[in-house]
Amino acid sequence: MRGCAFHQFSPSVLLTTLLTLCSFAFADTAVERVGWPEVTYDPAVPTLESVLGYAPGEQITSIEQAHAYLHALSEAQPARTRLIEYARSWEGRPLVYFLIGNELTMSRLDEVKAGMQALADPADLSGSEIDALVAELPAIVWLAYGVHGNEISSTDAGLQTAYHLLAAMGEPFDTIGDNTLVAIDPSQNPDGRMRFVNHFRETYGIEPSVSAIAAERREPWPAGRTNHYLFDLNRDWLPLTQPEVIGRVKTFQEYFPLVHVDIHEMGTDSSYFFPPPAQPFNPHYVDAQQEMLDAYGRNNAKWFDRFGFEYFTQAVYDAYYPGYGDSWPAFHGSVGMTFEMASARGMAGERRNGEIVTYADGVQRHFVTSIGTVETASVNRESFLRNFVEYRRSADAGEHGGAREYLIPLTGDRSAVHKLAANLVRHGIEIRRTTETARACDVELPVGSYLVTSRQPAGRMVRTFLETESPMAEEFLSEQERRRSLGLRAELYDILGWSLPSLYNVDVVPCDRVSVGEERFEGDNIPVYEPPAASQLGWLVPWGSQAAGRFLAAAQRAGLQVQGADEVMTLANRRYDRGTLVVRLADNPEYDAGELHRVVSQLAEVSGAEVVATDTSYSEEGVSFGSRSVMALPAPRIALAWDDPTVSYSAGNTRFVLERQFAYPVEPVRVEHIASDELDRFDVLILPDGGNYANGLGARGVERLKNWVERGGVLVAMSGGMRFAASDAVGLLPTDLELLAGGKEANDDEGDVVGGTILVDQDAYQQAILPEAPRPDSLPGVLLRTKTTQDTWLSAGVTDGVAFMVEGRDVYRPLTLDEGWNALYFEASENLGAGGHLWAENRQQWAFKPAVVQANYGDGLVIGFVADPTFRAALDGANVVFLNAVLRGPGHTARVR
Ligand SMILES: [Zn+2]
């Protein structure tokens, strides 16, 4: 034990004694416990220990404990604080933020919010009104902890930050209070944190196990990083699918904080990261934002240097993808930051060099950067407020360039069009809707089409969300090409493509001039279809939309007999494309015509699907209802492979898509139990992305699975799952992975010597060091466009152009005609990209390669998705194919039911 150091392993009685003996003053060069040097504390503010019974850093605080402490602080300081719930997690836990300001600020909180909202739209203000608001408004600082639930130390750092902002006397605290309004979100992911905390408490003994393989520090599947549906909430700021993030985005727009900090942990062997971030930057950052990031970084560095803490900046964590907690706020004119601390992943962890990282180390460092951030915002309050105003003014004035308008015609999947518009409204983007038909920039705009101008305060967000590309800096790209030529990994942190129109498969057309009757769209009055008319025969539901998918799922779940037409029909002069659903009275004899009409009407209302009554089954062109191409679609019972070796994101996101976007139940089954006879209860088994399924299943499991498919099961295998199904040892899918086209051939030379060569120049040397038989270079997450094969039910309802998010290097050869179908395949190289930078040789090799394949196996069916159609639950376009696979697949097997 070092001097007066806080010792987190001691029983609290001993600890109290030690703290009493030790002075609260610290050497300038080191802070050895969680606290700030040379300050005194107001005894009227309760300490963590007085409320929870342990000192900061001594225990990993649960969500309930954190909330209890914040309650105690707010009871002790009611005039300076406010504790507000902003969302509920899937498991029912409240998400809160704790506001701290001086009494004046807190007494006029509504005025402060209104002031920031007014500054956010500066075109409506005069210069003197802006000056007055800038003079009086506090700098609002948002400190958001623990978005990844197993990055644990940040929550306790948040509690210490709250305590110090209320209790500490001395610098820098004395000057912070009057300039700032600080919000502390103690845990952005309470479900994930509690998954970690419960696991840790279950495995903890009498003292910390510091080994990297200690049970308490190695979580079982799924780790606490993700929320209930296993989403990475720090990627959801763009698709906005999870309640935790939806609540945060809404709250952000109440306050428009000047800075939003997202506080994390990284590997135990690392040190500490704070901004400035690494390259590449999203091109819509402005210089003033980079300067502010630099100012925050310099101040945090000042404190870290003073305390002797190691750190790094400008590496690893970039600022390119706009859907992080540290990037999204930038597109509203604030700045966002990520802080990362080496994780103890428990109470203490041993680094490879023998050093011990403690939980208290993490709490202390995150606490110091939290205070350093508040101090920077306080000192620069006025200039940062003016930067915020200028960002929004310049966007509103269109100084970022780009098209003036983005047109979203109400065509194709109309439910996806509405969803895109509603999503943009949630992001704080102003949307208008047309009230008359019009034509602009060669596009027909039916009534109810949407218009999004880039000439608005969030105009740069409009551009990065709606444009296909957000280009990276040329010099950054050429450096990456140089690295790749040397066989080094490209320095990219996350996906490169995120264009919302590509994700949703919605047409968005840039246009500089449009003149049409219009109204403001607020996001809440999305039109629903007319209720269907009565019929004595049945109803048709055109396929290919999210809404029709919800209708099929709801109808199957309600026990209706639904048929699906695999061919085009023309009834009463209307053409119905492949995939149309048919609900016939004759197939549902337990209902009379009136009852069935009522049921179908209810399903139309809940799903938003267009449902058309028909009094004839005579098809003027194409198939009639009695055709073999009109197949019964019985309600499938769906199992989803769960637990190791599945990738938790893929398993969780897939479950979410079925359960929450299409309201269809799915039963997760641990991979080790797939060998059970219980498998026969299921019609569909989904293998999400995963590692070594062959090991996870074992030889018996693989045989059992193959036998189940052979007898009529439908196997839907995605990315890693497809790799397993297509492997030679398993042989469920007749395709093969490709090597890099034009790569160096394998040298079949055996033995210890090779023939002599003369390397005449540098180029020859570079050739000589290339690896043999290389795989294609990995894609970091790029949207690739596909084409459909028009002759398979698996692509029914899909218009050309639906995009998939492709990660990795799994290029497959197309299936031959005798092997099966390439239901969707990637576009020609010139049309391939739908968002994100593509290396040239990837662009060539991925063209015309399969994206979704199907092959019969015995009486069953194997469907392979090269890339997850459920990626982050954001690929609404690809979901239509996914629904075809899981909800229609069983209707297309030879299984006897
Ligand atoms: Zn993290």
Side-chain angles (χ1 to χ4, degrees), residues 312-326:
F312 67 95
T313 67
Q314 299 168 75
V316 185
Y317 303 100
D318 68 27
Y320 187 56
Y321 170 65
Y324 301 122
D326 77 348

Side-chain angles (χ1 to χ4, degrees), residues 60-76:
I60 302 171
T61 301
S62 71
I63 295 298
E64 276 186 9
Q65 289 170 315
H67 290 187
Y69 182 58
L70 293 176
H71 272 291
L73 288 180
S74 81
E75 272 172 26

Side-chain angles (χ1 to χ4, degrees), residues 147-148 151 225 234 263-266 340:
V147 70
H148 296 141
E151 299 175 2
R225 176 183 178 87
N234 192 29
I263 301 176
H264 295 252
E265 286 184 350
M266 55 187 163
E340 296 271 357

Side-chain angles (χ1 to χ4, degrees), residues 72-89:
L73 288 180
S74 81
E75 272 172 26
Q77 297 284 315
R80 293 187 56 199
T81 63
R82 197 78 57 88
L83 184 59
I84 296 170
E85 177 177 335
Y86 68 88
R88 284 266 160 154
S89 71

Side-chain angles (χ1 to χ4, degrees), residues 30 158 278 303 328 396:
W303 289 113
W328 183 91
D396 201 22

Side-chain angles (χ1 to χ4, degrees), residues 442-464:
D442 293 330
V443 180
E444 297 294 339
L445 295 175
V447 175
S449 297
Y450 296 96
L451 310 173
V452 191
T453 179
S454 72
R455 274 43 169 174
Q456 61 173 299
R460 296 181 179 93
M461 180 180 274
V462 170
R463 290 191 58 194
T464 199

